[in-house]
Amino acid sequence: MPHEVRGVIARGKGAEVSVETVVVPDPGPGEALVRVQACGVCHTDLHYREGGINDEFPFLLGHEAAGVVEEVGPGVAEVEPGDFVILNWRAVCGQCRACLRGRPWYCFATHNAAQKMTLADGTELSPALGIGAFADKTLVAAGQCTKVDPAASPAAAGLLGCGVMAGLGAALNTAAVGRGDSVAVIGCGGVGCAAVAGARLAGAGTIIAVDLDDRKLEWARGFGATHTVNATGADPVAAIQGLTGGNGADVVIEAVGRPETYQQAFYARDLAGTVVLVGVPTPEMRLDLPLLDVFGRGGALKSSWYGDCLPSRDFPMLIDLYLRNRLDLDGFVTETIALDQVEEAFAKMHRGEVLRSVVVW
Ligand SMILES: [Zn+2]
Ligand SMILES: [Zn+2]
């Protein structure tokens, strides 16, 4: 029998979100019904509401979530009712050209639930990133559920589902930061702070956090930044060079997604160093760089999709590090809120007051 639950709906471009009744079908083949315990508020949810992702309104928002599997459909073997899981938006297919080449973290044909959740009047919903977890229960593909140690706090664990994984993975997977490397991170919101935490976890030596907001730089220090640069009053390229013997950092992670900050990352890196773009640009942005500098400075210019993570590999490992006090996931949870406070949380996020507001059931 379908389940009637509460969910946070974005009905139209720029309109305030509202809590409405959502009808969630019983899981079909390959699907799982998850009782959500916590779901973080991410910039991507706001982008959906602003119409910045696509026009497929109404959206059921929420995608940084952890919960408990309540029911599974036919043929599901990877999880069972009662499992504590983190939801992901990379349920790999195993058959696309990336998966067949042994690079499933790039999977080009990831799975979502086949059935649609709807409003009470039958209107089909588009779940954010194929998850839709600002809801008491949600329906996903079973592969979107990654079982982890239930000793973890749901609020902290859920954040691995998106932004925190993106930042950690930018450092650990995409940049493959090595012991003793110097790392600079430009932009210290949730993703940037997670990149700082990832650099520390990897054993980086100097970790330089760059932002325009002292509050964010203070957060970055808490996650392991050894130096901070407020770019309001300083040239970040010169500052990073000054903190790295005049050379620039081995790795610069750009967690803003703007041409200006990408250029800073490009020039703040040592010769043959690595730039990782994990900030998400908008369609009209253009990059203008002398091609000779691209050649002459060598190294690697990479983009990081979802931290190039493989949920089945990375989530349980990171939760174990968290439970052994080596990764401060709790530090990303600035506040916990109720389901009807998502709109307020968007405003706080927009003002830069929070790393993450997390809806907790
Ligand atoms: Zn695939
Ligand atoms: Zn997100």
Side-chain angles (χ1 to χ4, degrees):
M1 220 175 68
H3 307 254
E4 288 203 352
V5 304
R6 299 169 306 150
V8 175
I9 305 297
R11 282 194 173 263
K13 192 171 177 166
E16 288 198 359
V17 299
S18 51
V19 176
E20 303 193 29
T21 298
V22 171
V23 181
V24 184
D26 278 330
E31 293 174 342
L33 178 73
V34 175
R35 180 165 52 79
V36 181
Q37 293 180 309
C39 184
V41 178
C42 174
H43 283 273
T44 303
D45 294 303
L46 186 55
H47 286 169
Y48 272 108
R49 195 200 73 172
E50 298 298 315
I53 308 247
N54 61 50
D55 291 331
E56 291 159 21
F57 290 97
F59 294 108
L60 172 59
L61 298 181
H63 60 275
E64 300 191 339
V68 174
V69 175
E70 197 163 280
E71 284 177 50
V72 297
V76 172
E78 53 268 68
V79 285
E80 57 185 24
D83 283 350
F84 176 62
V85 296
I86 299 173
L87 300 182
N88 73 74
W89 39 278
R90 184 169 282 157
V92 301
C93 76
Q95 286 153 19
C96 72
R97 60 196 188 282
C99 286
L100 290 177
R101 296 181 74 195
R103 303 195 292 193
W105 48 90
Y106 294 140
C107 179
F108 301 134
T110 54
H111 291 279
N112 295 129
Q115 299 182 87
K116 287 285 192 182
M117 294 181 274
T118 66
L119 293 172
D121 66 3
T123 306
E124 290 191 348
L125 293 168
S126 304
L129 293 175
I131 292 179
F134 286 145
D136 303 314
K137 297 176 185 182
T138 189
L139 183 74
V140 294
Q144 291 182 266
C145 300
T146 308
K147 189 177 171 180
V148 297
D149 191 327
S153 134
L159 298 185
L160 280 184
C162 179
V164 171
M165 184 68 247
L168 288 170
L172 295 170
N173 297 330
T174 315
V177 169
R179 283 184 293 282
D181 281 357
S182 54
V183 177
V185 177
I186 301 180
C188 295
V191 173
C193 280
V196 167
R200 174 162 71 178
L201 204 52
T206 302
I207 304 174
I208 304 161
V210 181
D211 204 285
L212 298 170
D213 182 343
D214 282 331
R215 178 171 38 192
K216 292 184 177 173
L217 293 173
E218 206 46 51
W219 290 334
R221 243 182 220 289
F223 289 106
T226 57
H227 301 79
T228 59
V229 174
N230 188 321
T232 313
D235 170 14
V237 176
I240 292 167
Q241 287 168 339
L243 291 165
T244 52
N247 300 317
D250 297 312
V251 172
V252 184
I253 296 171
E254 203 280 25
V256 181
R258 297 189 59 85
E260 312 87 89
T261 40
Y262 190 87
Q263 287 208 359
Q264 291 164 359
F266 180 84
Y267 286 110
R269 132 196 97 124
D270 198 358
L271 288 171
T274 300
V275 173
V276 172
L277 175 64
V278 66
V280 183
T282 57
E284 72 283 1
M285 291 176 177
R286 291 289 180 272
L287 183 65
D288 183 18
L289 279 174
L291 193 55
L292 182 60
D293 285 356
V294 175
F295 175 79
R297 301 184 61 81
L301 306 177
K302 304 175 97 174
S303 302
S304 185
W305 299 337
Y306 197 0
D308 292 339
C309 77
L310 186 57
S312 58
R313 175 193 67 190
D314 295 338
F315 291 2
M317 177 265 293
L318 292 167
I319 287 296
D320 287 346
L321 290 171
Y322 159 72
L323 291 172
R324 284 154 52 198
N325 294 318
R326 292 188 55 197
L327 174 62
D328 178 20
L329 292 178
D330 293 317
F332 290 94
V333 182
T334 311
E335 61 167 3
T336 57
I337 59 172
L339 190 63
D340 60 2
Q341 293 177 299
V342 170
E343 188 62 44
E344 291 162 49
F346 282 154
K348 288 181 202 165
M349 184 173 69
H350 197 68
R351 292 194 297 264
E353 294 169 9
V354 290
L355 267 178
R356 278 294 186 270
S357 304
V358 181
V359 176
V360 172
W361 273 256

